[in-house]
Amino acid sequence: MKNMPESYWKEKLTPAQYKVLRQKATEPAFLGKYVNTKEKGVYECAACGLILFSSEQKYDSGSGWPSFSDLAAKGVIEFRDDHSYGMYRVEVACKRCGSHLGHVFQDGPTPTGQRYCINSCALNFKPENSEKDTKS
Ligand code: FE
């Protein structure tokens, strides 16, 4: 999917998603739709649908962006050096489609010590019991 032309993504994604996923924009802190989501489920790449993160590793970092201490599975993420804005950060992108997701920092909780700081609009949340009404 890395060979898809930009016109494909422009058509498929909303303008806000396109800005983040394809142009590496960062959504404003605390305004993303998944900042406070605590339901069980998985988070897919909003561009290509690859499962990237799980609610199991989601935690409240206080940063204003959805934060995860690990990936849903090994190898779903591509790491890139990012020297923009006069600092050094490690960018994280979807391994399958190459879309920008956010950054990873080394100040996360144990045991990984990692904080994947991800834009809400780069993700699609799939609740674990989506087909079932769990109210009883
Ligand atoms: Fe993707």
Side-chain angles (χ1 to χ4, degrees):
M1 298 205 67
K2 285 187 180 168
N3 298 326
M4 297 307 257
E6 280 310 301
S7 56
Y8 169 82
W9 298 116
K10 212 156 202 173
E11 181 103 335
K12 182 177 163 73
L13 303 171
T14 67
Q17 288 175 325
Y18 185 81
K19 266 190 195 162
V20 169
L21 288 157
R22 306 306 304 176
Q23 299 183 314
K24 306 187 183 185
T26 299
E27 69 191 9
F30 299 103
L31 296 182
K33 58 184 172 179
Y34 299 137
V35 176
N36 297 312
T37 303
K38 291 183 169 69
E39 276 178 270
K40 281 189 176 182
V42 293
Y43 294 83
E44 300 174 346
C45 172
C48 78
L50 182 65
I51 294 175
L52 303 171
F53 298 99
S54 157
S55 57
E56 300 287 308
Q57 285 86 34
K58 192 174 188 293
Y59 74 101
D60 185 6
S61 69
S63 70
W65 290 279
S67 301
F68 303 88
S69 58
D70 206 352
L71 305 172
K74 276 200 166 68
V76 294
I77 290 285
E78 184 174 296
F79 300 93
R80 302 172 182 159
D81 291 328
D82 177 5
H83 293 277
S84 63
Y85 302 102
M87 51 185 155
Y88 172 69
R89 293 178 295 170
V90 178
E91 178 194 352
V92 295
C94 174
K95 184 80 173 181
R96 183 158 74 183
C97 72
S99 295
H100 173 80
L101 304 168
H103 293 84
V104 61
F105 302 93
Q106 304 301 318
D107 58 7
T110 53
T112 64
Q114 298 196 309
R115 170 169 62 97
Y116 288 88
C117 183
I118 307 297
N119 291 283
S120 290
C121 75
L123 301 171
N124 266 333
F125 178 64
K126 290 282 160 72
E128 195 175 87
N129 296 312
S130 48
E131 71 274 29
K132 198 164 63 176
D133 194 354
T134 52
K135 294 261 157 48
S136 57

